[in-house]
Amino acid sequence: MTEPGAGRDRAGRRAGHNGRMKVRTVQVAELSALQEIERAAGRWFHQVGMAEIAEDEPLSVEELTRFVEAGLAWVAVDGEDRPVAYLIAERVDDALHVEQVSVHPDAARRGVGRALLEHAAQVARAEGLPALTLTTFAEVPWNAPYYERCGFRPVPEDLLGPELREVRAREAAHGLDRWPRLAMRRTL
């Protein structure tokens, strides 16, 4: 998930964070806040007839802790250092794989999701990884179309690496393939 309508402000300017938003590492004490961000962001799915996704529970604190301990969990925070969005990732095949990115609706349409993706791209480059990958819903406006605007391109099923193929199989087992999904890659 990510922010609906991200990219430009009302005047058509590239959206930004006005110098108040920053990205930093997640602190373990913030994991319940991440769950609340995910629940709030998930509500957008009611608008596109995907109630099951809207009501799906976020990852547990234990599952989120794994990303924090691996150094692969970041938050975008407001001027008071409160998380308004987060991104968790893992190394999959030859890329840094965006496992989840969620933006609280109150912070949507301000470039927050894009800032998190750019931070992940910087981390991947620093690690010598050539790409970011993710999996997403193909027909949800703030999913695949948004990621295409962020430089991601669809990866045909027959070109998926073995670990990304495994990610897709887990998603299918979780029932996510009830709606069209795809893997996407952004070369860095």
Side-chain angles (χ1 to χ4, degrees):
M1 277 180 276
T2 193
E3 57 190 277
R8 300 204 176 264
D9 67 13
R10 290 183 190 154
R13 296 179 303 240
R14 186 137 215 109
H17 50 72
N18 300 323
R20 294 188 307 258
M21 190 271 310
K22 72 175 184 175
V23 174
R24 64 166 172 74
T25 303
V26 173
Q27 299 167 9
V28 173
E30 297 171 321
L31 296 179
S32 62
L34 271 54
Q35 292 174 312
E36 290 308 312
I37 290 168
E38 172 126 2
R39 284 184 188 103
R43 292 183 193 118
W44 287 104
F45 284 94
H46 280 293
Q47 296 176 7
V48 292
M50 297 170 72
E52 295 90 341
I53 300 301
E55 302 301 325
D56 195 30
E57 277 298 304
L59 294 176
S60 69
V61 167
E62 294 76 23
E63 291 168 309
L64 290 168
T65 299
R66 179 175 61 89
F67 293 96
V68 173
E69 290 174 348
L72 296 171
W74 303 280
V75 287
V77 295
D78 65 14
E80 295 177 20
D81 202 42
R82 291 180 303 222
V84 297
Y86 78 95
L87 185 150
I88 54 177
E90 59 188 333
R91 291 166 194 87
V92 171
D93 296 320
D94 68 339
L96 186 62
H97 181 75
V98 177
E99 175 63 28
Q100 180 70 36
V101 58
S102 291
V103 177
H104 193 284
D106 292 345
R109 297 183 176 104
R110 298 182 190 160
V112 177
R114 189 178 296 264
L116 284 164
L117 290 169
E118 290 307 316
H119 183 81
Q122 290 174 358
V123 169
R125 281 187 202 99
E127 292 185 9
L129 298 172
L132 292 178
T133 59
L134 54 80
T135 57
T136 192
F137 292 109
E139 298 171 358
V140 175
W142 60 90
N143 277 195
Y146 169 78
Y147 293 121
E148 283 198 68
R149 291 191 304 273
C150 292
F152 287 84
R153 297 295 171 255
V155 178
E157 289 286 324
D158 61 332
L159 296 180
L160 297 179
E163 293 172 338
L164 193 51
R165 192 176 306 280
E166 218 174 277
V167 168
R168 288 286 296 117
R170 281 194 310 267
E171 292 175 348
H174 190 67
L176 295 180
D177 280 6
R178 289 183 53 205
W179 304 274
R181 285 188 66 77
L182 58 99
M184 300 183 83
R185 182 178 178 95
R186 176 179 157 190
T187 302
L188 303 175

